[in-house]
Amino acid sequence: MARTLPPLNALRAFEAAARHESFSRAAEELGVSHSAISRHVRGLEARLGVQLFRDASRGVTLTAEGGHYMQRIRPAFDVIAEATEGLADTPAGRVVVNSEPLFATKVIAPLLRKLQNDLPEIELRLIASDQLADLDRFEADMAIRFAHKGVLDVPSDLISDAKLFPYAAPGLVPDNRIRVEHLGRYQLFRDRHELVWTKWCAIAGFDPALVNEGEWRARMPLAFEAAIHGAGLYMGSADCAAVEVVSERLVRLSDVGFRLGAFHLLTSGQAGRRKAVRSVRTWLLDHTRALRSDENQPDG
């Protein structure tokens, strides 16, 4: 007995528009025009005899009928995608990872070439942004986020809890070792909003009262680059500093370090069913193993 199905292109257009709450973003994802998405959706509405979307201040929003329809058909799309991907011998497709800018630039970006060699059928799109990607709306397949303490309130994997150390451009301070007189002589940069220099001084045996951390003057990537070019001392995590230390653009000024917060890898529940996403998750966790204290690796 024949199934009663609307045109599949119309369903794809509706499902993408519903996820993004935007015809424009649905069009970008599917590689068609905005008018094509609108035409498919209006045709589907006419066929079903219900209004699926209403206009919103930004984009569109689902009606009650549209929301119910989306809940019913989304699992079918997931099953089809999973079954199709399961036929492939190797994981393939595009995987989108959203990350905070400094971690994306200094930790993930240097790994991209090796990832391309190890997983050549996967296109990794790395998006560096302070804006939290909405994984439920498929704005990204995975996201790397910083938690100041504890764990995130959603399922996630610890990717790095590397210690913070003081760094500077080579030769900025004598013998590349920090001394108490340097704390008042140089601009103090940091990669946390907390008063990390004050905390470090207390641990290192320096008087915290000698430190004037001042106001937050630069976003983290800018503060990092300023330190590389000799504008001051930098208190930052060993994971983000590792590449610059190896290339001798930064030196660590002390063996005293401490942990404050950690980076976590979040994976979308829906995207996590894809073989390509699971492969990238496993690869990233394997290649950042040395950044986690629970792996019993030396701190950077």
Side-chain angles (χ1 to χ4, degrees):
M1 187 173 180
R3 292 182 174 88
T4 302
L5 292 175
L8 295 183
N9 281 340
L11 286 179
R12 289 186 70 203
F14 165 73
E15 191 270 343
R19 276 192 283 108
H20 294 297
E21 294 187 345
S22 167
F23 285 7
S24 297
R25 294 184 63 184
E28 181 181 353
E29 177 184 313
L30 299 180
V32 299
S33 65
H34 181 284
S35 60
I37 296 294
S38 179
R39 185 172 63 254
H40 281 311
V41 169
R42 301 314 172 202
L44 183 61
E45 289 178 326
R47 185 184 184 95
L48 299 177
V50 297
Q51 181 181 357
L52 300 172
F53 293 98
R54 64 170 60 93
D55 292 333
S57 57
R58 293 184 179 180
V60 293
T61 185
L62 288 166
T63 63
E65 293 83 357
H68 179 70
Y69 194 50
M70 179 62 170
Q71 289 179 348
R72 297 296 300 274
I73 70 168
R74 173 181 276 184
F77 274 84
D78 293 336
V79 170
I80 292 170
E82 189 174 355
T84 303
E85 191 176 52
L87 295 176
D89 293 331
T90 57
R94 175 184 295 172
V95 176
V96 180
V97 178
N98 176 272
S99 173
E100 294 190 347
L102 187 62
F103 197 87
T105 303
K106 301 302 181 181
V107 178
I108 304 300
L111 296 174
L112 289 182
R113 183 174 181 180
K114 180 168 178 53
L115 186 145
Q116 291 166 352
N117 290 335
D118 292 347
L119 302 172
E121 302 301 321
I122 294 177
E123 175 195 351
L124 183 69
R125 177 173 291 186
L126 179 61
I127 300 175
S129 173
D130 287 321
Q131 300 299 316
L132 299 178
D134 190 338
L135 300 185
D136 291 334
R137 292 176 57 187
F138 288 72
E139 292 181 350
D141 299 305
M142 292 185 286
I144 297 172
R145 288 291 168 253
F146 180 78
H148 291 271
K149 56 184 177 181
V151 297
L152 300 177
D153 57 1
V154 294
S156 62
D157 299 292
L158 176 66
I159 193 168
S160 174
D161 63 348
K163 286 184 177 181
L164 278 72
F165 294 95
Y167 296 91
L172 182 66
V173 301
D175 302 322
N176 291 325
R177 303 303 290 180
I178 192 169
R179 296 177 176 83
V180 65
E181 61 267 22
H182 300 149
L183 298 175
R185 184 182 305 171
Y186 297 99
Q187 173 70 51
L188 301 180
F189 297 109
R190 59 191 190 272
D191 77 348
R192 301 285 194 273
H193 289 279
E194 293 90 348
L195 301 181
V196 292
W197 279 100
T198 301
K199 183 176 180 66
W200 181 83
C201 283
I203 296 172
F206 294 162
D207 183 358
L210 298 174
V211 174
N212 179 16
E213 299 203 49
E215 298 179 357
W216 183 252
R217 297 185 178 181
R219 300 177 71 84
M220 282 179 277
L222 297 180
F224 192 94
E225 291 300 317
I228 287 175
H229 292 285
L233 311 183
Y234 180 77
M235 183 68 65
S237 55
D239 46 15
C240 293
V243 171
E244 307 302 340
V245 170
V246 171
S247 64
E248 298 183 345
R249 297 215 300 165
L250 282 178
V251 292
R252 201 171 78 186
L253 303 178
S254 171
D255 295 328
V256 176
F258 65 98
R259 289 188 174 86
L260 181 65
F263 287 95
H264 298 263
L265 178 65
L266 290 73
T267 304
S268 163
Q270 298 295 330
R273 299 172 63 174
R274 294 173 48 211
K275 185 184 297 185
V277 173
R278 296 197 303 272
S279 297
V280 170
R281 171 183 171 272
T282 299
W283 192 96
L284 285 175
L285 292 175
D286 182 55
H287 286 77
T288 55
R289 188 181 302 275
L291 305 179
R292 297 188 288 277
S293 59
D294 60 359
E295 304 292 349
N296 296 314
Q297 297 288 339
D299 298 308

